[in-house]
């Protein structure tokens, strides 16, 4: 039951005992039967460092995930890991540093071994990441142009999560530009189970003067 160590570690995170959490995640890593289990243990460590506010260690640990995935050559996993590092940097106020991870992910998305039928989905996912980076940099006009172009691609998507992520990104753009009603319109179509979305919906409501 190697995954039980993850549950123990998560409870330590909730208690704010991050070092103890990572001891449990290390046990999970050591007992994992395969690379998928080891990756999940490392991802749990990444999450614990983010919760602790130590984004440098989170990125360092996520790079360990990259090294593990490179050995197995799992391209979709590598795309996700690079995307996560880029988004960690965006949330850390370092959007320029995110660019290299997003560029690496975009290069992988174009790999000819991946299913051609999902090429639009992969391109759209990369555009979401890059629009977030533009918003974080304050390149609002460029972000809006890209998001509008993405809106034309929406009918061709086969993954509803991408549509929700699109509305989340567009909502963030409108929120940054203080277009609060528009922000709420888009965020209402984002993932309504996400605390990240709830937080920014609350910020948009506050912007309209609706404290309640």
């Amino acid at each position: 039951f190697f995954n039980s160590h993850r549950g123990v570690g998560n409870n330590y995170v909730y208690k704010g005992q991050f070092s103890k959490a990572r001891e449990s995640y290390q046990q999970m890593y050591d007992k994992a039967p395969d690379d998928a289990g080891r990756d999940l243990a490392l991802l749990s460590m990444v999450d614990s460092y983010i919760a602790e506010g130590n984004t440098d260690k989170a990125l360092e640990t996520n790079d360990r995930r990259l090294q593990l995935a490179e050995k197995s050559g799992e391209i979709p996993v590598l795309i996700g890991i690079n995307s996560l590092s880029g988004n960690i940097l965006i949330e850390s106020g370092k959007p320029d540093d995110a660019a290299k991870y997003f560029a690496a992910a975009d290069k992988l998305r174009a790999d000819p071994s991946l299913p051609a039928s999902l090429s639009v989905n992969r391109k759209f996912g990369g555009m979401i990441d890059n629009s977030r980076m533009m918003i974080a940099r304050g390149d609002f006009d460029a972000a809006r142009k890209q998001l509008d172009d993405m809106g034309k691609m929406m009918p061709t998507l086969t993954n509803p999560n991408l549509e929700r992520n699109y509305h989340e990104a567009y909502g963030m753009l409108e929120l940054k530009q203080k277009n609060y009603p528009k922000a709420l319109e888009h965020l209402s179509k984002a993932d309504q189970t996400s605390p990240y979305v709830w937080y920014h919906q609350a910020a948009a409501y506050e912007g309209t003067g609706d404290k309640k």
Side-chain angles (χ1 to χ4, degrees):
F1 299 109
F2 81 102
N3 211 8
S4 296
H5 292 291
R6 186 176 187 228
V8 173
N10 289 350
N11 286 332
Y12 279 126
V13 168
Y14 300 146
K15 294 176 71 175
Q17 296 177 332
F18 301 107
S19 294
K20 279 186 170 292
R22 286 187 286 273
E23 288 175 11
S24 292
Y25 298 144
Q26 185 61 53
Q27 288 180 289
M28 179 187 176
Y29 182 93
D30 294 339
K31 294 176 184 292
D34 52 31
D35 281 349
R38 284 183 277 274
D39 179 71
L40 186 56
L42 289 172
L43 178 58
S44 300
M45 292 182 195
V46 170
D47 289 342
S48 75
Y49 281 122
I50 292 172
E52 193 177 15
N54 190 341
T55 51
D56 287 342
K57 290 295 288 185
L59 288 164
E60 182 183 310
T61 307
N62 212 40
D63 282 343
R64 287 177 63 193
R65 295 181 65 216
L66 270 179
Q67 294 163 15
L68 189 66
E70 281 168 354
K71 289 179 184 177
S72 60
E74 293 187 53
I75 294 174
V77 175
L78 286 165
I79 292 170
I81 294 170
N82 277 293
S83 177
L84 176 58
S85 286
N87 279 289
I88 289 171
L89 284 161
I90 284 174
E91 293 295 331
S92 305
K94 301 175 182 176
D96 290 339
D97 292 343
K100 68 174 183 179
Y101 286 104
F102 289 156
D106 284 342
K107 185 177 179 181
L108 289 162
R109 287 184 177 97
D111 191 288
S113 69
L114 295 173
S117 60
L118 297 177
S119 61
V120 173
N121 283 17
R122 290 194 299 274
K123 181 180 179 181
F124 197 88
M127 293 173 79
I128 288 174
D129 280 344
N130 283 288
S131 68
R132 291 181 190 277
M133 184 173 62
M134 293 173 192
I135 293 165
R137 283 173 166 169
D139 296 337
F140 299 136
D141 289 344
R144 188 175 296 278
K145 182 181 183 307
Q146 176 153 286
L147 287 162
D148 286 342
D149 289 343
M150 292 164 66
K152 298 169 188 173
M153 297 168 62
M154 295 261 274
T156 64
L157 298 179
T158 58
N159 185 337
N161 287 324
L162 289 174
E163 186 173 341
R164 286 190 277 269
N165 291 343
Y166 165 80
H167 284 293
E168 180 183 307
Y170 217 137
M172 291 297 297
L173 171 63
E174 299 291 12
L175 181 61
K176 287 282 188 182
Q177 295 199 282
K178 301 183 180 180
N179 300 324
Y180 301 120
K182 279 287 186 184
L184 288 167
E185 181 182 328
H186 281 289
L187 291 171
S188 71
K189 298 173 185 175
D191 181 0
Q192 295 304 295
T193 68
S194 167
Y196 187 87
V197 172
W198 298 341
Y199 175 84
H200 290 101
Q201 282 176 308
Y205 277 117
E206 187 175 42
T208 67
D210 185 347
K211 303 288 187 182
K212 184 178 178 182

